[in-house]
């Protein structure tokens, strides 16, 4: 063909046998790429009255040891200034962090099964921090991809008055005095402590362990022991075996967990339920265990496992269970759990707490 001579038109070529498959693959990869660029749609927050509301303080959710030291030694103004200067640095996870992550794992399962239900865990950050500190808290929550939409920052005032407004089922704080105030107001609450060492916990199943007396149940039996000794206690429990104990401060929280468990049971998922509860008590099974179990039955409640230790240390058993949190009214059981790597929470309720009230009242306030 001479230069400048027009080309003869050519017939269009048929695509090769793998062209359509290759094009579809390119399109699918492009779709995944752009879907990942788009902001992830978060689930809608439930109405507080429909949900199981868990309120956590900032010092329970995150480690704020240095910030608390500044607050205590240098005052609130220096504390706020430090937080503003470091607001782009996320806090490290605190003792309640694995518990909150486990709550969110349960929520994901619930939303898969019941997409229109608001009967899920609703986590509220409840803190007496000033609003200026809020940016660092928000940055930390986003850094760890936590779904916490509700904040209550009270600017130095006690957050206790807001707990009822949020229909709180459980309040966790690092401030023992705030927890006592909540208990006095009839709100389930506990002071949470970091374990002495890190132990891996389940990423797919929420595990919650409860002591019995003065936690799930009233302190009736502990009063008998304190006033009259163990022999009289065993006699009392035998005589009242069929009389349910009065409820303790965390009975309502166990009830809420049981309600959510039944949503999985109704779908045939009892053995795969992502919530598991434990009764871990110093009671002995033969002499005083029946009353505890019959009390739970009378309430229409149950725990997945019941462990009667007859006074043996709880720490080694908790190390095997690996709960996300363990509730007890006795500080020596809390300390024993901590030593074995368990996140433990102290419930300041009942006759065992009376001697501590005066000393606790003298403690300095804290930033939460």
């Amino acid at each position: 063909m001479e230069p400048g001579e027009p080309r003869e038109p050519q017939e269009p070529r048929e695509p090769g046998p793998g062209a359509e498959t290759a094009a579809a693959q390119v399109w699918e990869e492009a779709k995944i790429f752009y879907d990942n660029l788009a902001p992830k749609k978060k689930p809608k927050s439930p109405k507080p009255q429909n949900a199981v509301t868990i309120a956590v303080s900032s010092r329970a959710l995150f480690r704020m040891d240095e910030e608390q030291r500044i607050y205590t030694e240098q005052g609130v103004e220096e504390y706020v200034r430090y937080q503003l200067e470091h607001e782009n640095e996320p806090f490290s996870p605190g003792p309640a962090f694995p518990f909150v992550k486990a709550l969110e794992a349960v929520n994901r399962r619930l939303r898969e099964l019941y997409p229109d239900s608001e009967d899920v865990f609703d986590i509220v950050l409840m803190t007496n921090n000033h609003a200026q500190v809020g940016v660092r808290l928000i940055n930390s929550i986003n850094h760890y991809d936590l779904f916490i939409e509700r904040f209550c920052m009270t600017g130095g005032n006690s957050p206790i008055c807001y707990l009822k407004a949020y229909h709180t089922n459980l309040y966790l704080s690092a401030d023992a005095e705030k927890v006592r105030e909540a208990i006095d107001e009839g709100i389930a609450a506990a002071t949470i402590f970091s374990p002495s060492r890190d132990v891996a916990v389940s990423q797919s199943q929420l595990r919650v362990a409860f002591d019995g007396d003065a936690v799930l149940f009233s302190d009736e039996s502990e009063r008998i022991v304190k006033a009259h000794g163990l022999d009289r206690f065993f006699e009392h429990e035998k005589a009242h075996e069929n009389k349910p104990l009065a409820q303790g401060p965390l009975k309502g929280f166990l009830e809420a967990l049981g309600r959510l468990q039944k949503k999985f049971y109704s779908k045939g998922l009892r053995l795969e339920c992502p919530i598991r509860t434990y009764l871990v008590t110093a009671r002995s099974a033969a002499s005083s265990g029946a009353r505890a179990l019959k009390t739970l039955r009378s309430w229409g409640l149950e725990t997945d496992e019941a462990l009667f230790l007859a006074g043996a240390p709880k720490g080694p058993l908790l190390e095997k269970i690996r709960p996300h949190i363990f509730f007890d009214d006795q500080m020596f059981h809390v300390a024993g759990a901590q030593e074995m790597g368990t996140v433990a929470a102290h419930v300041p309720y009942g006759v065992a707490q009376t001697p501590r009230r005066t000393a606790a009242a003298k403690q300095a306030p804290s930033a939460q």
Side-chain angles (χ1 to χ4, degrees):
M1 180 186 296
E2 296 296 328
E5 185 178 342
R7 293 175 178 269
E8 292 183 6
Q10 296 182 355
E11 293 292 327
R13 282 189 268 177
E14 292 291 326
E20 289 185 8
T21 303
Q25 183 177 351
V26 169
W27 169 250
E28 186 60 30
E29 290 174 353
K31 184 176 181 297
I32 293 171
F33 174 77
Y34 286 109
D35 283 348
N36 288 335
L37 285 181
K40 294 180 181 177
K41 184 179 179 182
K42 290 190 174 182
K44 184 180 178 182
S45 295
K47 296 182 180 68
Q49 63 269 28
N50 297 335
V52 178
T53 301
I54 311 297
V56 293
S57 75
S58 54
R59 287 201 300 131
L61 185 59
F62 298 117
R63 291 191 184 276
M64 301 176 65
D65 298 337
E66 178 62 16
E67 290 78 6
Q68 179 62 20
R69 184 191 64 77
I70 292 171
Y71 178 88
T72 303
E73 296 178 2
Q74 301 178 43
V76 65
E77 295 302 324
E78 187 62 25
Y79 169 80
V80 171
R81 186 191 66 78
Y82 180 89
Q83 295 282 35
L84 292 175
E85 288 180 353
H86 294 79
E87 68 179 18
N88 292 320
E89 301 173 14
F91 293 110
S92 297
F97 189 92
F99 176 64
V100 168
K101 292 291 284 185
L103 297 178
E104 294 191 341
V106 174
N107 278 355
R108 285 192 291 273
R109 295 283 305 279
L110 283 169
R111 289 188 172 108
E112 290 171 2
L113 297 172
Y114 303 92
D116 298 322
S117 175
E118 292 191 330
D119 196 7
V120 295
F121 293 110
D122 186 24
I123 302 154
V124 179
L125 188 69
M126 187 74 64
T127 171
N128 62 0
N129 265 306
H130 289 258
Q132 297 97 316
V133 181
V135 173
R136 190 177 184 192
L137 290 170
I138 291 169
N139 287 343
S140 298
I141 285 168
N142 289 335
H143 173 79
Y144 295 109
D145 196 27
L146 299 175
F147 182 62
I148 301 178
E149 295 292 328
R150 303 191 202 278
F151 276 41
C152 186
M153 292 175 282
T154 66
N157 292 327
S158 172
I160 300 303
C161 62
Y162 299 99
L163 292 172
K164 287 186 177 179
Y166 277 100
H167 300 269
T168 302
N169 296 88
L170 176 67
Y171 172 51
L172 296 175
S173 175
D175 189 318
E177 189 57 32
K178 296 291 190 301
V179 168
R180 288 188 185 90
E181 290 179 38
I183 290 282
D184 290 343
E185 290 295 320
I187 298 165
T191 309
I192 194 166
F193 294 90
S194 296
S196 300
R197 55 190 174 87
D198 292 332
V199 172
V201 292
S202 175
Q203 301 296 309
S204 57
Q205 184 181 62
L206 170 66
R207 298 177 186 175
V208 183
F210 299 89
D211 179 31
D213 296 296
V215 176
L216 293 178
F217 315 129
S218 72
D219 67 337
E220 170 195 324
S221 298
E222 289 191 347
R223 289 180 181 275
I224 298 291
V225 173
K226 189 165 186 175
H228 305 290
L230 274 174
D231 289 341
R232 182 69 177 274
F233 162 72
F234 293 140
E235 293 173 8
H236 177 269
E237 292 301 291
K238 193 69 177 174
H240 295 82
E241 180 179 313
N242 294 312
K243 180 184 178 182
L245 290 153
Q247 71 179 49
L250 265 66
K251 180 252 188 179
F253 180 51
L254 176 62
E255 195 170 39
L257 292 176
R259 187 177 76 244
L260 295 182
Q261 282 181 309
K262 287 175 182 176
K263 293 171 78 74
F264 292 99
Y265 299 168
S266 67
K267 297 288 187 179
L269 297 172
R270 177 180 283 269
L271 297 180
E272 295 82 31
C273 182
I275 303 172
R276 193 165 184 84
T277 55
Y278 305 79
L279 173 65
V280 183
T281 173
R283 285 173 174 253
S284 63
S287 59
S288 56
R291 191 181 186 195
L293 295 178
K294 287 183 177 181
T295 295
L296 290 174
R297 185 192 302 164
S298 73
W299 294 342
L301 298 178
E302 60 180 306
T303 56
D304 294 291
E305 298 186 30
L307 307 170
F308 295 93
L309 304 187
K314 298 181 180 182
L317 215 57
L318 290 167
E319 184 184 23
K320 301 302 180 185
I321 295 171
R322 298 195 174 187
H324 293 88
I325 193 165
F326 164 61
F327 297 98
D328 203 293
D329 69 306
Q330 303 282 354
M331 276 303 300
F332 66 88
H333 286 311
V334 170
Q338 283 181 277
E339 289 175 9
M340 305 304 288
T342 297
V343 173
H346 178 239
V347 181
Y349 175 81
V351 66
Q353 315 307 316
T354 305
R356 295 195 189 94
R357 287 277 181 171
T358 305
K362 298 177 181 178
Q363 288 182 352
S366 63
Q368 289 192 56

